[in-house]
Amino acid sequence: MIRPVTQGRHMATASTTDPHLSHEDGALSAQQIGVARMSHTARLLLQAENLPDPTFDLLSLMCLPVTALWCRVLRFDPTAPDWPDRDRFVVPSTTMLPLLGAMLTLTGNTAHTHTPLEYGRHPAIEVAPGPAGQGVAAAVGMALAEQQSSLRFGRSLVNHRTWVLAQDTDLATGVAMEAAQLAGRFGLDRLAMLVAPPSATQGSEFADSLARFSASGWTVRKVEADNLPAITSALAATLRARKPTLIACLPSASPTSSLGVHLLPEEELTGPWSATARRGASSRRSWLRRFARHRQRAAFEREHLRQRPALFEEDWHRAWQWHMRSTHDTSTQEAGLAGLHALSDILPELVCLTAASAYTAPSAMQEHTGKRTQPATANKLDCNIQEHGMAGLLNGLALHGGLLPCCAASMMTVDRMRSALRMAALMRQKMLYLLTGDGLAMGDGGGGWQPVEQLASLRATPHLAVFRPATPDETFKCWEAALEWQGGPAVLVLCPTQGSTHTVPHAYYGSAARGGYVVSQPEKRQVTLIASGPEVAIALEASHHLAERSIQAAVVSIPCWELFADQPSSYRQKVLGTAGLRVGIEAASGFGWERWLGPEGVFVGMDDFGTSAPANALYERFGITAEAICEKVEHHLFASGAIRGLTPPAPHQPRAHARGP
Amino acid sequence: MIRPVTQGRHMATASTTDPHLSHEDGALSAQQIGVARMSHTARLLLQAENLPDPTFDLLSLMCLPVTALWCRVLRFDPTAPDWPDRDRFVVPSTTMLPLLGAMLTLTGNTAHTHTPLEYGRHPAIEVAPGPAGQGVAAAVGMALAEQQSSLRFGRSLVNHRTWVLAQDTDLATGVAMEAAQLAGRFGLDRLAMLVAPPSATQGSEFADSLARFSASGWTVRKVEADNLPAITSALAATLRARKPTLIACLPSASPTSSLGVHLLPEEELTGPWSATARRGASSRRSWLRRFARHRQRAAFEREHLRQRPALFEEDWHRAWQWHMRSTHDTSTQEAGLAGLHALSDILPELVCLTAASAYTAPSAMQEHTGKRTQPATANKLDCNIQEHGMAGLLNGLALHGGLLPCCAASMMTVDRMRSALRMAALMRQKMLYLLTGDGLAMGDGGGGWQPVEQLASLRATPHLAVFRPATPDETFKCWEAALEWQGGPAVLVLCPTQGSTHTVPHAYYGSAARGGYVVSQPEKRQVTLIASGPEVAIALEASHHLAERSIQAAVVSIPCWELFADQPSSYRQKVLGTAGLRVGIEAASGFGWERWLGPEGVFVGMDDFGTSAPANALYERFGITAEAICEKVEHHLFASGAIRGLTPPAPHQPRAHARGP
């Protein structure tokens, strides 16, 4: 157990006799007696829950600080737990949930008494429990959302705080430390975290965690968890703080399990007559009055209902064209970022977090970085190297409501962001990830930096839409589809590769908005080349080569598997073709491609990590060139007997790889 | 830029006149003049490399500290850069590599002059450059490896240090902070990190990073990068330190780009006559003498050549049986952990890092945790909640050589470890991941904790073998295959689900060591049920149900896709069957299963995240039960016309999901 705090000699001496009655003129105020009584009742409620002993001890210790917060500070109306200007009370782990349950019972949340305390079911649960630290990062995101919203709507509409009830394990994880750095950097002074002490003998580690938070720009306060005056003054100091605050609740040196206030609270202290409920109801009423005559009321409502502004379509087209006009770059990365800039011009609720990796990834883009790294909008926030923390914040931005969170980072960093991205998919929160630097474009310094299995692992995640557009035009359509996607996060994978000399024609059949479509189709389809991203241009070139050898190949672009899988079977059949050889082309792992290729299909891609080499050399090394594809197709057609009379061409196969049964 | 340090008033005053000649009796020693000359030459070498300006400025600043380290401290023999007892000099990013190149040139690494500075090609490159922070974590792992090896072989054989040349961005990431905590916890006093200052105006962030390292149990020293006496004394203090050390090299208040020693070093200072080369060669010669008559020589050699001890097979079988005898648990998780304990009894080079999540994941295992959490071997190291740092350390343990690194964590935390795991696969390092708590076994508190897409994303990673055994016996075979796997890391996915009442018989055809095999086969195969893990028992039960309805179903267990894909096509055909319906059964995402099922195949698994519910309820919710599978099979056979005369059974489909074209 951690060494208890002793705030000066006088305090320590007082503690040994009676800490609660000796402080401040020797007596608790009437309000404090109310809090102590409520806390006692909360403890009784917890006792009835048959919790395991260590959990009960922990929650019992945290009862008084949490009750003090709820009774004296928290802005929460039990009759409207999802009121937009409520204080967020974030409980990141299931361990602490019974305490929230007790608070809800005591403050009279009667409408949801029988609803289990689960995310998506009970409105007072702000976040789904996830891996340690994710809840802390989400809370930082909520505080950031409050900050950004209040900049737009002013303190008359947005004036709440974010409170977290965390455990020591939440603080020690990398994502929490990254999020803590971001909270310090953004100056989120309306964020406060109550932390329960470690249950095991890890006191020094806990003290280290506190020191790390202190070094990240947080105010760290230590209070004895049963010293009500100390707790009250810590909470009061938090309201005045200019930095995010961490209140470590430590076990007392002289534990006084009895508070001297054993009486149950009278009727007027609990339920709808509790201090919390009365204060919450009154705050909400005055908020509603202010809201009714607020000049930005319509915008606030629209954003919280996640509706688009009037004339969105036209503005979006115009802004897109404006931003695309100024660029001579034909990569999807440039187009994707232009889309982001266009969107930030017309959607004020867009908040974009950017990692340092977002623009520096492609070596070909170096000359453009000067232009792009300038924050184009006030809502663009720099997260430097803290990608995991950034992704955690993004969840909080979405959970807060009223904002459309978006982030830009490099494709390779998605490995670090995965835990957070998965939480977003699990909670089905709408947000946009722009992942730049995909493809074999890292150049000489690449090393292990070529994404290989990232696409497959993103596509395997439920509720996640992954877009990998082929051309600037397709990027625009993918942007639109990503904005339409309601099931969860949408990911746009963008390549810095410049478009080839073969311009990709307009869709022959279908459209990018349906996930996959036919780019070009010969009269009689013998071969279907299915590709995504910059490989569509290669497929198109290969189809021209094949045409010269009298092999008729259709080219299909499949920017989004999730959307394509949702299309009717007849559409999919028509796009992919019912007969003939199917060839999948993508500069990534072929894992999962059998879905579209069938057992006889051929995949041209990467079966190994990339190496340091210029992009063209890598494309050649992995055989992702028009010539190599032609040879492979000819070989397979010859082997299957579909073409005759030619000498069997030697296939260009960098390495043999068994696929399919 | 960060505010330069001024170590006391005297020092600050001295700096403004001439920092290098005023210190210590007003003159540099002959050795120090040698270092300064060498550093000047290194700078000239860098100048010839046409580096971008910011990079050159940074490297130029770091020249003197790095030269001082190489000339005065580093134990490195240029004629044998892979000598086991060398000091590790870890350069985690490509930015810093030219400086290493200059050092190698100056100290006479002639054999590899034309080898590019890439991991796997140049022997002096200890780690492949990867995401920020991974190199720091790997260096911590190397220091841990040194600590563990020296415990076994003593300081006469293992007596080296680990040095890191890091940048400010490396320190700010979550993985570096987790690794830093672990370094502090394990007391790795032979680890030191030279950190270059930030190039941009992020001085306060850098100071925060230093404070965080200090709070994680590190000694943090700040030196002026051009103050040679200060650097020398910081390096000397590092050699005496009881804690890991971070030396922040800051730009000087009064930058003196000229060192007053503009002469190039004479012949005797560079090449094989350099201080580094002479000291390294002499250290190595005396090490070789000690090694030649060391009583543990054979063991040391065996472990560094990654050979198995004599009688390994017999010992391994005996130890396994011993550990399995004491358990009444029939889950693969218990068997997998028994395998770990057996292996740690007989393989002294095994070092196992365990995360707190490893044993606490399965609720059914609660009663066993008391037994298992006791560290069974001295080599078991607790990494608490820092899974990402742990995975980073594991890479360092493997890269150090002479050890077999292994870790235990829960399946869900693999998302956090992915960056590190990918680096291991990229560098093709052999290590073992035991991932517990797979399957739908999390019970009521589960929430978003059911692994869904994790299996697919692991399988999509090149050079990574994923094993998901079905029974304790199969777990043993998978353990053996994982130990055999040479291409990279091996992952054992273990489920806490108790074996069903239907005991799984021995292989009918093939074996688990080949990745997939036939568990049971009827006379005439109409249906093939392909499953892995605990779902094999369900498939077996379903095959009995089907047999009652005169449908003959074979059951195939496919514990390792990577091994199975490497088998000859004829074997795969024989196992999977050439005709009839194929049904894949796995409590995970079906992404990638088309590879084995073909376009007509059926997959029974999860197409959504799990929820909080007991495992059985979840199996029923997703339709992964023998009854549901039977109904699905009957429906499909009826639809395809393979069976007639029955009323078409309504398939039990929790939700429609489009699969395949």
Side-chain angles (χ1 to χ4, degrees):
Chain A
M1 229 16 131
I2 195 154
R3 194 171 58 82
V5 285
T6 46
Q7 294 165 329
R9 188 182 162 73
H10 165 73
M11 185 60 217
T13 325
S15 293
T16 50
T17 54
D18 194 339
H20 308 295
L21 300 174
S22 63
H23 199 88
E24 283 181 16
D25 306 325
L28 292 174
S29 68
Q31 276 183 323
Q32 285 180 336
I33 290 173
V35 170
R37 282 181 144 178
M38 191 84 100
S39 160
H40 179 67
T41 321
R43 210 167 275 139
L44 293 181
L45 284 176
L46 292 175
Q47 223 154 27
E49 290 224 15
N50 283 326
L51 299 166
D53 275 352
T55 309
F56 176 73
D57 289 347
L58 194 69
L59 295 185
S60 180
L61 185 77
M62 294 302 288
C63 252
L64 194 63
V66 170
T67 316
L69 171 67
W70 276 66
C71 285
R72 304 288 301 275
V73 181
L74 197 80
R75 218 172 129 94
F76 177 79
D77 186 350
T79 59
D82 49 1
W83 167 42
D85 202 25
R86 72 189 178 279
D87 275 6
R88 266 62 174 177
F89 186 75
V90 180
V91 185
S93 66
T94 43
T95 317
M96 291 294 190
L97 277 183
L99 193 48
L100 173 60
M103 287 299 121
L104 290 172
T105 308
L106 287 178
T107 53
N109 190 251
T110 46
H112 302 280
T113 317
H114 300 291
T115 314
L117 282 173
E118 269 177 39
Y119 175 79
R121 300 178 74 177
H122 198 293
I125 303 288
E126 302 281 358
V127 64
Q134 288 295 338
V136 173
V140 174
M142 290 179 197
L144 180 63
E146 200 268 354
Q147 187 193 54
Q148 295 294 315
S149 299
S150 74
L151 286 178
R152 283 197 62 219
F153 294 105
R155 286 278 173 227
S156 66
L157 279 197
V158 182
N159 186 26
H160 55 268
R161 294 175 175 274
T162 307
W163 303 89
V164 192
L165 180 59
Q167 280 179 282
D168 60 313
T169 45
D170 286 316
L171 308 189
T173 51
V175 59
M177 280 189 277
E178 291 191 5
Q181 288 181 59
L182 295 175
R185 192 180 303 156
F186 298 143
L188 303 178
D189 51 0
R190 290 172 161 250
L191 170 67
M193 185 146 60
L194 293 177
V195 185
S199 48
T201 51
Q202 295 176 324
S204 70
E205 302 250 328
F206 186 54
D208 286 352
S209 278
L210 299 185
R212 278 189 292 266
F213 268 73
S214 181
S216 305
W218 288 56
T219 304
V220 175
R221 290 175 201 281
K222 296 181 191 175
V223 296
E224 288 183 318
D226 59 358
N227 184 340
L228 187 50
I231 294 166
T232 314
S233 69
L235 290 174
T238 302
L239 299 183
R240 297 187 304 267
R242 295 302 198 71
K243 294 201 274 185
T245 305
L246 190 156
I247 302 176
C249 303
L250 305 179
S252 161
S254 55
T256 48
S257 66
S258 76
L259 274 160
V261 198
H262 263 196
L263 294 168
L264 292 189
E266 290 107 40
E267 192 85 320
E268 71 262 28
L269 282 181
T270 57
W273 298 275
S274 67
T276 313
R278 276 184 289 128
R279 201 181 51 251
S282 126
S283 305
R284 191 168 72 96
R285 271 196 305 274
S286 55
W287 183 86
L288 285 171
R289 276 196 297 272
R290 287 196 301 278
F291 181 59
R293 54 173 193 267
H294 200 280
R295 64 183 171 78
Q296 282 171 295
R297 176 183 174 163
F300 189 92
E301 262 176 348
R302 176 185 70 71
E303 290 169 21
H304 273 264
L305 295 171
R306 296 173 195 276
Q307 289 167 347
R308 294 191 178 166
L311 301 176
F312 172 78
E313 297 291 326
E314 295 161 38
D315 286 345
W316 164 231
H317 276 263
R318 202 179 306 121
W320 163 268
Q321 277 163 3
W322 170 259
H323 280 279
M324 284 304 285
R325 214 175 45 175
S326 63
T327 176
H328 302 286
D329 197 309
T330 56
S331 69
T332 57
Q333 178 163 317
E334 195 63 19
L337 295 176
L340 176 62
H341 288 265
L343 209 61
S344 67
D345 287 351
I346 56 168
L347 272 189
E349 67 262 42
L350 188 83
V351 175
C352 184
L353 305 180
T354 52
S357 61
Y359 305 104
T360 53
S363 53
M365 284 282 292
Q366 291 288 331
E367 66 213 75
H368 294 276
T369 47
K371 185 179 71 191
R372 287 296 176 206
T373 41
Q374 257 90 94
T377 64
N379 286 348
K380 206 168 254 183
L381 297 155
D382 180 20
C383 292
N384 200 6
I385 197 89
Q386 283 90 9
E387 281 98 354
H388 195 183
M390 177 180 82
L393 257 68
L394 220 58
N395 294 348
L397 285 170
L399 288 164
H400 178 275
L403 296 171
L404 177 62
C406 169
C407 76
S410 88
M411 178 67 172
M412 277 303 301
T413 59
V414 80
D415 281 343
R416 274 198 268 171
M417 302 193 279
R418 184 170 305 275
S419 295
L421 184 53
R422 181 177 210 264
M423 288 304 292
L426 182 83
M427 296 189 282
R428 308 198 72 153
Q429 293 298 310
K430 180 165 181 171
M431 57 185 75
L432 298 163
Y433 277 74
L434 293 185
L435 301 178
T436 60
D438 185 41
L440 302 177
M442 273 303 292
D444 286 320
W449 282 92
Q450 321 290 356
V452 178
E453 78 284 12
Q454 276 76 4
L455 266 177
S457 61
L458 288 174
R459 284 174 182 151
T461 310
H463 309 321
L464 185 67
V466 183
F467 296 89
R468 191 170 186 262
T471 61
D473 282 343
E474 211 181 290
T475 310
F476 178 70
K477 295 206 181 73
C478 287
W479 253 114
E480 286 196 317
L483 288 172
E484 289 280 349
W485 178 257
Q486 296 301 334
V491 174
L492 266 86
V493 179
L494 304 170
C495 305
T497 317
Q498 296 296 310
S500 80
T501 46
H502 289 262
T503 48
V504 177
H506 286 286
Y508 173 89
Y509 171 76
S511 79
R514 302 184 77 170
Y517 64 101
V518 183
V519 176
S520 78
Q521 179 147 334
E523 275 177 33
K524 190 179 160 294
R525 201 194 272 208
Q526 287 174 285
V527 179
T528 309
L529 305 175
I530 309 166
S532 84
E535 286 75 66
V536 173
I538 297 174
L540 211 59
E541 199 185 332
S543 78
H544 296 317
H545 283 256
L546 286 172
E548 286 166 15
R549 303 183 203 185
S550 313
I551 299 170
Q552 307 211 341
V555 176
V556 168
S557 173
I558 177 168
C560 179
W561 290 23
E562 288 75 15
L563 287 182
F564 191 58
D566 280 347
Q567 299 304 316
S569 168
S570 58
Y571 178 79
R572 293 201 306 270
Q573 295 268 358
K574 199 153 177 203
V575 168
L576 297 178
T578 43
L581 179 68
R582 285 185 194 160
V583 183
I585 308 165
E586 195 170 61
S589 161
F591 192 86
W593 265 91
E594 289 87 356
R595 181 170 186 183
W596 312 122
L597 302 181
E600 304 302 319
V602 179
F603 180 73
V604 178
M606 296 167 79
D607 54 359
D608 195 352
F609 296 107
T611 48
S612 296
N616 285 345
L618 279 178
Y619 273 109
E620 263 171 39
R621 174 170 183 270
F622 287 104
I624 317 176
T625 59
E627 295 75 28
I629 293 165
C630 281
E631 281 175 20
K632 220 167 184 176
V633 166
E634 279 191 330
H635 175 79
H636 274 269
L637 289 181
F638 189 89
S640 65
I643 54 172
R644 281 184 197 84
L646 291 166
T647 49
H652 174 81
Q653 274 180 312
R655 63 192 65 202
H657 192 63
R659 298 201 70 83
Chain B
M1 255 330 158
I2 196 156
R3 195 172 56 82
V5 284
T6 47
Q7 294 164 330
R9 189 182 161 73
H10 167 72
M11 186 58 220
T13 324
S15 292
T16 50
T17 54
D18 193 339
H20 308 295
L21 299 174
S22 62
H23 198 87
E24 283 181 16
D25 306 324
L28 291 175
S29 68
Q31 275 184 323
Q32 286 180 336
I33 289 173
V35 169
R37 282 181 145 179
M38 191 85 102
S39 158
H40 179 67
T41 321
R43 212 169 272 140
L44 293 181
L45 285 176
L46 291 175
Q47 223 153 26
E49 290 223 15
N50 282 326
L51 299 166
D53 275 351
T55 309
F56 175 73
D57 290 346
L58 193 69
L59 295 185
S60 181
L61 185 76
M62 293 304 287
C63 251
L64 193 64
V66 169
T67 315
L69 171 67
W70 275 66
C71 285
R72 303 291 299 275
V73 182
L74 197 79
R75 217 173 131 95
F76 176 78
D77 186 350
T79 59
D82 49 0
W83 167 42
D85 202 25
R86 71 186 179 281
D87 275 7
R88 266 62 174 177
F89 186 75
V90 180
V91 186
S93 65
T94 43
T95 316
M96 292 293 190
L97 277 182
L99 193 47
L100 173 61
M103 288 298 121
L104 290 172
T105 308
L106 286 180
T107 53
N109 190 252
T110 47
H112 302 281
T113 315
H114 299 292
T115 315
L117 283 173
E118 267 177 41
Y119 176 79
R121 301 178 73 178
H122 198 293
I125 302 288
E126 302 281 357
V127 63
Q134 288 295 338
V136 173
V140 174
M142 289 179 198
L144 180 63
E146 200 269 352
Q147 188 194 54
Q148 296 294 316
S149 298
S150 74
L151 287 178
R152 283 197 62 219
F153 294 106
R155 286 279 172 226
S156 66
L157 280 197
V158 182
N159 187 24
H160 54 268
R161 293 174 178 274
T162 307
W163 302 89
V164 193
L165 179 59
Q167 280 179 280
D168 61 311
T169 45
D170 286 315
L171 309 188
T173 51
V175 60
M177 281 189 276
E178 290 191 6
Q181 288 181 58
L182 295 174
R185 192 181 304 156
F186 297 144
L188 302 177
D189 51 1
R190 290 172 159 249
L191 171 67
M193 184 146 60
L194 293 177
V195 186
S199 50
T201 52
Q202 295 176 324
S204 69
E205 301 251 327
F206 186 55
D208 287 352
S209 277
L210 299 184
R212 278 189 292 267
F213 268 74
S214 182
S216 305
W218 287 56
T219 304
V220 175
R221 289 174 202 283
K222 296 180 191 176
V223 295
E224 287 183 320
D226 58 359
N227 184 341
L228 186 51
I231 293 165
T232 314
S233 69
L235 289 175
T238 301
L239 299 183
R240 298 187 304 267
R242 297 300 200 73
K243 295 200 273 186
T245 305
L246 190 155
I247 302 176
C249 304
L250 305 180
S252 159
S254 54
T256 48
S257 66
S258 77
L259 274 160
V261 199
H262 263 197
L263 294 168
L264 292 188
E266 288 106 42
E267 192 86 318
E268 71 261 28
L269 280 181
T270 57
W273 299 275
S274 67
T276 314
R278 278 183 288 128
R279 203 182 48 250
S282 126
S283 305
R284 191 167 72 95
R285 271 197 306 275
S286 55
W287 182 85
L288 285 171
R289 277 197 297 275
R290 289 196 302 276
F291 181 58
R293 53 173 194 267
H294 200 281
R295 60 181 175 81
Q296 282 171 294
R297 177 184 171 161
F300 190 92
E301 262 176 351
R302 177 185 71 70
E303 290 170 20
H304 272 264
L305 294 171
R306 298 173 193 275
Q307 289 167 347
R308 294 191 179 165
L311 301 176
F312 172 78
E313 296 292 326
E314 295 162 36
D315 286 346
W316 163 232
H317 275 264
R318 201 179 307 118
W320 163 268
Q321 276 162 6
W322 169 258
H323 280 280
M324 284 304 285
R325 212 175 47 174
S326 63
T327 175
H328 302 287
D329 198 309
T330 56
S331 70
T332 57
Q333 177 162 317
E334 195 64 17
L337 295 176
L340 176 63
H341 288 264
L343 209 61
S344 67
D345 288 351
I346 57 167
L347 271 190
E349 66 262 42
L350 188 85
V351 174
C352 184
L353 304 180
T354 52
S357 60
Y359 305 105
T360 52
S363 53
M365 284 282 292
Q366 290 288 331
E367 66 213 74
H368 294 275
T369 48
K371 186 178 68 189
R372 287 293 175 207
T373 42
Q374 257 90 87
T377 65
N379 285 349
K380 206 169 253 183
L381 297 155
D382 180 21
C383 292
N384 200 7
I385 196 90
Q386 282 90 9
E387 281 98 354
H388 195 184
M390 177 180 82
L393 258 67
L394 220 57
N395 294 348
L397 286 169
L399 289 164
H400 178 275
L403 297 170
L404 177 61
C406 169
C407 76
S410 87
M411 178 66 173
M412 276 305 299
T413 60
V414 80
D415 281 343
R416 273 198 269 170
M417 302 192 279
R418 184 171 306 274
S419 295
L421 184 55
R422 179 177 210 265
M423 287 304 293
L426 182 82
M427 295 188 282
R428 308 197 72 153
Q429 293 298 310
K430 181 165 181 172
M431 57 186 74
L432 297 163
Y433 277 73
L434 293 185
L435 300 178
T436 60
D438 185 41
L440 303 177
M442 273 303 293
D444 287 321
W449 282 93
Q450 322 289 356
V452 178
E453 79 284 11
Q454 276 76 4
L455 266 178
S457 62
L458 287 175
R459 285 173 182 152
T461 311
H463 310 320
L464 185 68
V466 183
F467 296 89
R468 192 171 186 260
T471 61
D473 284 343
E474 210 179 292
T475 309
F476 178 71
K477 295 205 180 73
C478 287
W479 252 113
E480 287 197 316
L483 287 173
E484 289 281 349
W485 178 257
Q486 295 301 334
V491 174
L492 267 87
V493 178
L494 304 169
C495 306
T497 317
Q498 297 296 311
S500 80
T501 45
H502 288 262
T503 48
V504 177
H506 285 286
Y508 173 89
Y509 171 75
S511 79
R514 302 185 75 171
Y517 65 100
V518 182
V519 176
S520 79
Q521 179 147 335
E523 276 177 33
K524 187 179 163 296
R525 200 195 273 207
Q526 287 175 285
V527 178
T528 309
L529 305 175
I530 309 166
S532 84
E535 285 77 65
V536 173
I538 297 173
L540 212 58
E541 199 186 331
S543 78
H544 297 317
H545 283 257
L546 286 171
E548 285 165 17
R549 303 182 205 184
S550 314
I551 299 171
Q552 306 211 343
V555 176
V556 168
S557 173
I558 178 168
C560 179
W561 289 24
E562 288 77 15
L563 288 182
F564 191 60
D566 280 347
Q567 299 303 317
S569 169
S570 58
Y571 178 79
R572 294 202 305 270
Q573 295 268 358
K574 197 151 179 203
V575 168
L576 297 178
T578 43
L581 181 68
R582 287 185 193 158
V583 183
I585 308 165
E586 195 170 62
S589 161
F591 192 86
W593 265 91
E594 289 86 356
R595 180 169 186 181
W596 310 123
L597 303 181
E600 304 301 319
V602 178
F603 180 75
V604 178
M606 295 167 78
D607 55 358
D608 196 352
F609 296 105
T611 48
S612 297
N616 286 345
L618 278 180
Y619 273 108
E620 264 171 39
R621 174 167 182 272
F622 286 105
I624 317 175
T625 59
E627 295 75 29
I629 293 165
C630 280
E631 279 176 21
K632 222 166 183 177
V633 166
E634 278 191 331
H635 175 78
H636 274 268
L637 289 181
F638 190 89
S640 65
I643 53 172
R644 282 186 195 81
L646 290 166
T647 50
H652 175 80
Q653 273 180 313
R655 63 192 64 204
H657 192 62
R659 298 202 71 80

